């Protein structure tokens, strides 16, 4: 999956250059015709394929502005005028919404609003409540009014974000090096893997992976792993510091490629990881499993938000684009990458039955599963790690989060790195 | 050199030099002094998750040195981080100075032909034709657990199992820094050495000084300006670094730059600004001490 993404970015740059040239050549024509939407987000969802399809179907030009997830927050908080569509993660909302820079999106203008996955509207999967520790989307999906700076406890007409992608994260392992079944988050801190483990050096996410391990080891039961008390932060960081001093960790990783390289080069055999990174390791012919664990998953979700300053034709175009995004093509595109899309019913219609069975139902692939660019991602007969949508998303226990004690946590994390 | 017309301004000061200096002064004011002042001011501000609050508070400095007066549980984070950074800085400085001096000495005194000397000097700069990041990252496949060096060591039977200390350790960080920054010492030292009057060396020899005595009493004193300039380069670069330490240290080694970067990424600009102010103060102090020892301007 890594390859198509890289190719996508390259095309994206070419596309951007082409767009700039076109804009220079014929400004008058474009000023009257197509609307251009400046789309700020991490590069995860910014595919050239989607951009091209949007231009064909809607005549809207997307101007991708890929930034790091830190910069997504920074942009939304400090420069809301520099974007028309914000592709943000739900945890960021705890920082962005109080700034008052995002508008509540009008549910009546979203055609498929009732079809959006129950993960977002009710906090359920297949009728069963899922874990809501951390910044679960259900807690931050709605606002009491269009111009509110707070979240509404229940469903309202005003949405903070319209979901695009979400997924359940777990540990990646090298089954060939580990040589035995791995079933628990506690294995991350198991001295058996001394010098061969890694976690990610993004404090707010790293500490939750650590908390999953601490809880699995039976050392503490957290009320909310995504919103710890100071004492809980101290405890978690103490356990991590002990492990670090004992040489448990080979390295910490900060970005996608680092995690791929650590795993592929054999520096680590067990580490926190993201789904596409596991695929990237596997695409090099190196065995790597996105291991389902009995304690469950840490999940994340992303969606589109609109800055409050948006109005007129641009606002209409933004709604048009979001409605298009939910209508199936984009959902299928994202589902085929191993993410989950917001409106599954329409995505299913845009996917082949065997694709749906593999990605969503957890069934063995009836034929080779291919990436959007045609390369084979999974051979016929293989099964997705973790199984079906219901099994994976149903086993979510916590969500990427911003804690109330975030400042304190960041200081403690720096202390841990210095230890 | 020509006689200028008598100045008619009441102040009696020529205006032309001021005008000539104005563009540079303006640029420095705008892009150096002003951001620096802004950093200092912001370091006194308060902040929340999503906003900066203009204020005069000591919060950022207080939090930075929280627990630093209590040594019973070891050093506090800030002292620990500074100590870690300073330690790396000292090691890198010592090694780069040694290598830089050695290379410059060889080029300046052992190569007779100017052409060969310049050719070799250019060879020294060849690594700089690729980017900083690539030069650093290319060490990874060499030093890894299954990397070339370990394969060689295990293959020749020198060690039983792969050596972990080669990568993601102090060793790999220092190695990368030395690789990146030795030239920054070599160039000014080489420059100083080339300006040494060769007759001084001959005089030393005639007076019966041994090679070591010549080095100690003639060459080193005369290359001090180069050494100081090179040292300043290395110290400033290492003290502020977070990329090299992050990549080569596996993100496990603390550095002030990394602390600042983490704070920036959590929108804690005032806290990061306070760190930056303290770091700046420390680096300026180091440079002040070095320039006190040697008056660079006079020596140049």
């Amino acid at each position: 999956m890594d390859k198509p993404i890289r190719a996508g970015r390259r095309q994206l740059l070419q596309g951007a250059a082409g767009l700039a040239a076109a804009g220079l050549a014929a400004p008058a024509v474009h000023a009257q015709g197509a609307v251009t939407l400046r789309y700020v987000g991490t590069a995860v969802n910014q595919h050239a394929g989607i951009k091209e399809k949007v231009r064909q179907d809607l005549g809207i030009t997307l101007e991708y502005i890929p930034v790091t997830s830190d910069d997504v927050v920074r942009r939304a908080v400090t420069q809301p005028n520099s974007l028309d569509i914000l592709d943000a993660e739900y945890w960021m909302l705890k920082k962005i919404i109080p700034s008052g820079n995002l508008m509540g999106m009008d549910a009546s203008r979203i055609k498929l609003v009732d079809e959006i996955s129950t993960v977002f509207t009710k906090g359920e999967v297949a009728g069963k409540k899922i874990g809501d520790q951390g910044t679960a989307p259900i807690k931050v999906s709605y606002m009491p009014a269009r111009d509110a700076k707070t979240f509404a406890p229940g469903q309202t007409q005003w949405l903070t974000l319209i979901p695009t992608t979400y997924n359940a994260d777990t540990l990646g392992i090298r089954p060939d090096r580990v040589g035995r079944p791995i079933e628990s988050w506690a294995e991350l801190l198991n001295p058996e893997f001394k010098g061969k483990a890694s976690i990610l050096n993004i404090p707010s996410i790293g500490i939750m992976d650590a908390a999953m391990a601490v809880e699995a080891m039976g050392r503490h039961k957290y009320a909310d792993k995504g919103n710890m008390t100071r004492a809980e932060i101290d405890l978690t960081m103490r356990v991590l510091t002990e492990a670090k001093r004992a040489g448990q960790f080979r390295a910490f990783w900060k970005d996608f490629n680092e995690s791929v390289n650590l795993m592929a080069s054999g520096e680590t055999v067990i580490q926190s990881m993201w789904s596409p990174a596991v695929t990237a390791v596997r695409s090099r012919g190196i065995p790597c499993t996105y291991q389902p664990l009995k304690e469950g998953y840490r999940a994340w979700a992303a969606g589109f938000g609109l800055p409050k300053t948006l109005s007129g034709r641009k606002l209409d175009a933004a709604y048009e684009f979001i409605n298009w995004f939910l209508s199936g093509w984009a959902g299928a595109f994202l589902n085929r990458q191993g993410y989950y899309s917001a409106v599954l019913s329409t995505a299913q219609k845009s996917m082949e039955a065997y694709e749906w069975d593999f990605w969503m139902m957890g069934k063995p692939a009836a034929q080779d599963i291919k990436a959007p660019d045609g390369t084979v991602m999974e051979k016929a007969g293989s099964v997705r790690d973790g199984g079906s949508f219901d099994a994976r998303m149903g086993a979510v226990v916590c969500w990427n989060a911003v804690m109330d004690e975030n400042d304190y946590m960041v200081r403690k994390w720096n202390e841990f790195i210095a230890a | 050199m020509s006689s200028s017309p008598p100045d008619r301004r009441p102040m009696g000061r020529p205006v032309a030099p001021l005008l000539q200096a104005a563009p540079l002064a303006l640029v420095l004011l705008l892009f150096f002094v002003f951001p620096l002042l802004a950093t200092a001011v912001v370091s006194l501000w308060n902040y929340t998750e999503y906003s900066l609050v203009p204020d005069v508070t000591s919060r950022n400095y207080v939090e930075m040195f929280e627990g630093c007066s209590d040594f019973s549980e070891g050093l506090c984070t800030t002292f620990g981080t500074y100590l870690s950074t300073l330690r790396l800085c000292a090691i890198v400085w010592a090694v780069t100075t040694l290598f830089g001096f050695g290379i410059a000495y060889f080029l300046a005194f052992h190569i007779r032909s100017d052409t060969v000397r310049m050719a070799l000097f250019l060879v020294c700069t060849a690594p700089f034709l690729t980017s900083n990041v690539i030069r650093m990252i290319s060490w990874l496949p060499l030093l890894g657990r299954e990397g070339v060096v370990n394969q060689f060591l295990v293959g020749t039977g020198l060690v039983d199992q792969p050596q972990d200390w080669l990568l993601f350790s102090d060793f790999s960080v220092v190695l990368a820094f030395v690789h990146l920054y030795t030239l920054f010492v070599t160039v000014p030292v080489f420059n100083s050495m080339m300006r040494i009057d060769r007759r001084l060396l001959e005089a030393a020899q005639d007076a019966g000084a041994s090679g070591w005595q010549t080095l100690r009493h003639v060459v080193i004193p005369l290359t001090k300006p180069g050494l100081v300039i090179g040292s300043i380069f290395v110290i400033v670069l290492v003290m502020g670094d977070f990329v090299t330490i992050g990549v080569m240290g596996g993100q496990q080694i603390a550095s002030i730059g990394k602390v600042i970067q983490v704070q920036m990424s959590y929108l804690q600009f005032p806290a990061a600004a306070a760190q930056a102010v303290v770091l700046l103060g420390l680096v300026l102090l180091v440079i002040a001490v070095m320039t006190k020892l040697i008056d660079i301007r006079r020596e140049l």
Side-chain angles (χ1 to χ4, degrees), chain A residues 179-213:
Chain A
R180 66 177 177 85
I182 296 290
E183 287 170 352
S184 167
W185 280 87
E187 305 281 9
L188 183 62
L189 299 177
N190 186 342
E192 184 185 336
F193 305 118
K194 186 179 157 194
K196 292 175 180 171
S198 173
I199 55 172
L200 71 175
N201 189 10
I202 299 174
S204 57
I205 309 177
I207 197 171
M208 291 186 77
D209 283 354
M212 292 294 282

Side-chain angles (χ1 to χ4, degrees), chain A residues 340-380:
Chain A
Y340 296 124
S341 58
V343 179
L344 295 171
S345 52
T346 54
Q348 183 173 10
K349 284 177 201 144
S350 303
M351 291 170 83
E352 302 290 336
Y354 76 92
E355 289 181 319
W356 180 261
D357 284 348
F358 175 80
W359 290 113
M360 301 300 295
M361 306 306 289
K363 293 180 185 164
Q367 59 191 83
D368 286 356
I369 299 294
K370 290 185 175 133
D373 69 350
T375 54
V376 175
M377 293 172 76
E378 298 285 350
K379 289 256 184 335

Side-chain angles (χ1 to χ4, degrees), chain A residues 70 74 77 95 98 177 195-196 201 203-204 244 249-252 265-267 406-407 411 415 417-418, chain B residues 47 49-50 59 66 77 81 144-146 164 167-168 250-252 254 258-259 262 264-269:
Chain A
D70 298 332
R74 215 174 294 164
V77 172
K95 295 184 177 196
R177 299 292 170 88
K196 292 175 180 171
N201 189 10
S204 57
K244 185 188 172 193
F249 303 112
R250 181 63 172 138
F252 303 134
S265 65
E267 300 293 338
N406 190 44
D407 292 354
R411 268 189 290 146
E415 201 172 291
I417 296 294
Chain B
Y47 61 95
E49 283 296 322
Y50 48 86
R59 170 188 172 186
E66 200 173 42
T77 318
T81 308
R145 187 177 280 144
E146 294 170 14
D164 280 353
L167 187 58
F168 303 137
Q251 312 275 1
Q252 295 216 58
K258 182 74 198 170
V259 170
V262 169
M264 297 274 285
S265 69
Y266 281 81
L267 297 175
Q268 301 174 348
F269 291 116

Side-chain angles (χ1 to χ4, degrees), chain A residues 16-27:
Chain A
L19 180 71
L24 286 175

Side-chain angles (χ1 to χ4, degrees), chain B residues 23 90 93 104 120 129 134 147 159 194 210 225 229 233 235 252 260:
Chain B
W93 174 78
L120 287 177
L129 295 174
I134 289 174
V159 294
M194 289 307 286
S210 67
I229 292 170
F233 276 138
I235 288 168
Q252 295 216 58
I260 294 175

Side-chain angles (χ1 to χ4, degrees), chain A residues 69-368:
Chain A
S69 60
D70 298 332
D71 277 330
V72 172
V73 181
R74 215 174 294 164
R75 280 258 195 163
V77 172
T78 60
Q79 311 161 45
N81 288 327
S82 71
L83 56 104
D84 302 316
I85 288 192
L86 184 73
D87 181 357
E89 284 184 51
Y90 275 78
W91 60 264
M92 298 171 182
L93 291 176
K94 280 185 101 172
K95 295 184 177 196
I96 299 173
I97 294 296
S99 74
N101 289 344
L102 282 194
M103 67 164 80
M105 278 190 272
D106 189 348
S108 63
R109 295 192 65 175
I110 308 290
K111 281 182 212 136
L112 293 166
V113 74
D114 296 327
E115 299 277 315
I116 289 174
S117 165
T118 52
V119 168
F120 297 90
T121 53
K122 295 188 185 135
E124 291 175 359
V125 167
K128 218 180 74 209
K129 281 264 177 244
I130 58 172
D132 69 345
Q133 291 185 20
T135 312
I138 183 68
K139 294 181 189 164
V140 295
S141 276
Y142 299 98
M143 287 155 78
R146 186 184 185 277
D147 293 324
K149 292 183 178 183
T150 55
F151 302 108
Q155 286 192 34
T156 67
Q157 194 197 335
W158 308 103
L159 289 110
T160 50
L161 297 181
I162 297 292
T164 49
T165 49
Y166 48 105
N167 209 341
D169 285 356
T170 182
L171 297 177
I173 63 164
R174 285 281 299 268
D176 57 328
R177 299 292 170 88
V178 172
R180 66 177 177 85
I182 296 290
E183 287 170 352
S184 167
W185 280 87
E187 305 281 9
L188 183 62
L189 299 177
N190 186 342
E192 184 185 336
F193 305 118
K194 186 179 157 194
K196 292 175 180 171
S198 173
I199 55 172
L200 71 175
N201 189 10
I202 299 174
S204 57
I205 309 177
I207 197 171
M208 291 186 77
D209 283 354
M212 292 294 282
V214 168
E215 202 167 80
M217 291 159 81
R219 291 188 63 162
H220 182 68
K221 183 108 182 90
Y222 298 86
D224 185 343
K225 284 184 276 296
N227 200 6
M228 300 183 192
T229 62
R230 286 196 173 206
E232 284 175 332
I233 293 170
D234 288 346
L235 169 86
T236 315
M237 298 318 296
R238 198 159 59 237
V239 174
L240 271 186
T241 307
E242 280 167 19
K244 185 188 172 193
R245 290 208 171 120
Q248 178 72 6
F249 303 112
R250 181 63 172 138
F252 303 134
W253 60 266
K254 179 92 200 231
D255 71 39
F256 180 90
N257 290 320
E258 277 175 353
S259 76
V260 172
N261 289 335
L262 281 173
M263 209 65 169
S265 65
E267 300 293 338
T268 59
V269 299
I270 183 167
Q271 66 177 15
S272 26
M273 224 165 162
W274 293 333
S275 171
V278 173
T279 317
V281 174
R282 248 194 321 236
S283 70
R284 298 189 192 179
I286 295 164
C288 186
T289 306
Y290 209 34
Q291 185 62 48
L293 302 166
K294 64 181 184 214
E295 292 86 7
Y297 295 89
R298 174 182 50 73
W300 58 269
F304 290 132
L306 303 181
K308 202 162 273 173
T309 45
L310 212 58
S311 64
R313 283 180 66 214
K314 279 211 164 190
L315 181 61
D316 294 341
Y319 273 117
E320 202 183 336
F321 166 65
I322 289 168
N323 277 319
W324 173 87
F325 206 91
L326 300 179
S327 68
W329 191 90
F333 190 90
L334 296 167
N335 281 3
R336 284 193 200 106
Q337 321 230 0
Y339 300 116
Y340 296 124
S341 58
V343 179
L344 295 171
S345 52
T346 54
Q348 183 173 10
K349 284 177 201 144
S350 303
M351 291 170 83
E352 302 290 336
Y354 76 92
E355 289 181 319
W356 180 261
D357 284 348
F358 175 80
W359 290 113
M360 301 300 295
M361 306 306 289
K363 293 180 185 164
Q367 59 191 83
D368 286 356

